[in-house]
Amino acid sequence: MDGPCANVEAPQLLHRVEPRYPDQIRRQGREGQVELKGIVDAEGKVTDLTVRSSPGKPLSEPAVEAVSQWRDKPACCKDLEKPVRVFATFTTTFRLHRK
C-alpha cells in the first residue's frame, strides 16, 4: 500500500480471465491450484506477480498469464478517500470436469 492508511477497503474483482488448461496436462489427468502474490495498483491492474505455490511450471505459466489480465475495483484508503495500491494473493484452480 502507498503511504500510511489504517482503514483500507479491499479491492474487488471486476473481471476474471480463466487460465488456459494445457492440453498435455489435461490428458495426463493432472489437477491443482496455483497461488500467486502480487499487487493490485491504484487503477485496479494486477502487477508484479510471483508464484507462491504450484504443482509445476506447466500450470503456473498459464495462471500468471490469466491473472495478469484480471481487473479489480482498486483498494481504497477510507481515511484519504483515494484508491491505493495493495499487496494481494490470487488463486487459480485447474480441475478436470467429471461427470
Side-chain angles (χ1 to χ4, degrees):
M1 180 185 65
D2 295 324
C5 185
N7 192 5
V8 176
E9 182 179 310
Q12 296 175 0
L13 184 62
L14 299 173
H15 176 73
R16 179 183 177 108
V17 174
E18 293 300 325
R20 179 190 51 76
Y21 207 140
D23 290 335
Q24 180 179 356
I25 303 303
R26 183 188 305 267
R27 284 192 299 272
Q28 293 172 357
R30 291 175 50 196
E31 298 180 322
Q33 283 191 328
V34 177
E35 186 175 308
L36 306 168
K37 64 180 180 177
I39 294 173
V40 176
D41 70 16
E43 286 80 43
K45 296 177 185 170
V46 177
T47 65
D48 300 326
L49 288 169
T50 58
V51 177
R52 288 184 69 178
S53 65
S54 173
K57 189 174 181 178
L59 294 181
S60 60
E61 287 178 346
V64 169
E65 183 180 318
V67 173
S68 67
Q69 298 176 63
W70 291 11
R71 294 296 176 261
D72 288 76
K73 176 182 175 188
C76 181
C77 176
K78 292 182 180 179
D79 300 335
L80 303 174
E81 296 184 9
K82 71 174 195 170
V84 291
R85 143 187 125 118
V86 294
F87 292 98
T89 59
F90 310 90
T91 302
T92 60
T93 301
F94 293 86
R95 182 173 297 128
L96 297 169
H97 297 285
R98 296 187 177 110
K99 294 182 180 184

